[in-house]
């Protein structure tokens, strides 16, 4: 979406930052940010609008050295026992880690969450450094080309992540922000 907008309006200056969903939502409601991209829908802000941009599965993100199921295209959940994991902290807004932990506990074990990460980039860096595996939306690996990272689904477990654009309906926006939001109106018409 940014590429499409930037191609049409190359002189617009961007301020882009990453943060936890809670911090981003707070800054949006305070008017410090104009639009945010999240992974999932939220009812955190009254007077906000959102558009779901798609869906994708969550998968295990790993390196060859920590692959608990080499040679398989998937990971049987029991093979996650004792494998070190770099999971998002337990208060992550959409509960990816909590979901995985509950599924492992249903199979009779609690996963070895060696690291609890504040955000996705930190989890990815720890996985790449060989500290453990993680459980995140599949496309996250595409942000790290040539990293040696890859994904595999967990056999029998399917949870979806929904990339979502959120913006406040309570704020006056400059024309460049309005044009950016208009891109998504066009996307809706194309679907």
């Amino acid at each position: 979406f940014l590429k499409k907008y930037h191609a049409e309006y190359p002189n617009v200056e961007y301020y882009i930052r990453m943060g936890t969903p809670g911090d981003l939502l707070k800054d949006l409601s305070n008017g410090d940010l104009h639009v945010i991209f999240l992974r999932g829908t939220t009812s955190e802000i009254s007077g906000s609008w959102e558009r779901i941009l798609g869906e994708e599965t969550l998968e295990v993100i790993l390196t060859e050295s920590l692959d608990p199921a080499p040679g398989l295209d998937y990971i049987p959940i029991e093979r996650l026992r004792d494998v070190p994991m770099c999971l998002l902290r337990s208060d992550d807004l959409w509960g990816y880690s909590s979901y995985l932990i509950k599924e492992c506990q249903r199979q009779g074990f609690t996963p070895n969450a060696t690291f609890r990460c504040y955000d996705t980039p930190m989890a990815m860096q720890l996985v790449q450094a060989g500290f453990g595996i993680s459980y995140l939306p599949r496309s996250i690996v595409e942000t790290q080309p040539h990293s040696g990272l890859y994904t595999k689904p967990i056999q029998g477990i399917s949870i979806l992540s929904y990339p979502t654009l959120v913006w406040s309906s309570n704020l006056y926006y400059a024309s460049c922000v309005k044009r950016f939001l208009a891109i998504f109106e066009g996307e809706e018409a194309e679907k």
Side-chain angles (χ1 to χ4, degrees):
F1 296 109
L2 287 174
K3 282 183 180 180
K4 181 177 181 177
Y5 183 79
H6 185 65
E8 194 168 336
Y9 303 102
N11 295 323
V12 172
E13 189 175 302
Y14 302 87
Y15 169 71
I16 299 175
R17 75 172 181 87
M18 297 179 73
T20 64
D23 290 344
L24 295 173
L25 288 165
K26 179 182 167 197
D27 288 348
L28 180 69
S29 72
N30 291 340
D32 297 328
L33 296 174
H34 297 300
V35 297
I36 58 176
F37 290 97
L38 297 175
R39 288 260 176 198
T41 61
T42 180
S43 58
E44 295 287 317
I45 303 174
S46 62
S48 68
W49 297 92
E50 60 185 37
R51 169 129 338 140
I52 297 173
L53 304 174
E55 67 180 32
E56 71 176 296
T57 59
L58 273 73
E59 294 190 2
V60 174
I61 296 179
L62 60 163
T63 59
E64 190 174 343
S65 66
L66 285 173
D67 189 336
L72 296 177
D73 293 334
Y74 59 90
I75 298 175
I77 194 166
E78 62 273 5
R79 297 238 185 134
L80 295 176
R81 183 186 306 268
D82 300 323
V83 176
M85 293 190 180
C86 306
L87 300 177
L88 295 179
R89 62 190 191 176
S90 58
D91 64 343
D92 83 280
L93 193 59
W94 294 285
Y96 302 156
S97 299
S98 298
Y99 178 82
L100 178 61
I101 290 168
K102 286 177 187 171
E103 290 298 318
C104 290
Q105 289 172 338
R106 259 190 257 224
Q107 297 299 317
F109 69 96
T110 299
N112 179 14
T114 307
F115 290 90
R116 291 297 189 137
C117 303
Y118 186 72
D119 58 25
T120 301
M122 179 56 66
M124 295 293 289
Q125 288 174 359
L126 290 167
V127 171
Q128 189 174 7
F131 287 105
I133 64 175
S134 196
Y135 187 63
L136 297 165
R138 185 171 196 234
S139 68
I140 298 293
V141 169
E142 295 169 11
T143 67
Q144 305 282 323
H146 314 294
S147 64
L149 299 175
Y150 58 96
T151 67
K152 285 186 176 183
I154 300 173
Q155 183 180 28
I157 295 180
S158 180
I159 183 172
L160 296 175
S161 171
Y162 299 92
T164 304
L165 174 74
V166 182
W167 67 98
S168 175
S169 62
N170 298 326
L171 300 174
Y172 167 78
Y173 286 125
S175 61
C176 61
V177 176
K178 289 178 183 176
R179 283 188 214 113
F180 181 72
L181 292 172
I183 289 173
F184 299 94
E185 291 173 14
E187 289 293 319
E188 189 67 23
E190 292 173 15
K191 288 181 181 178

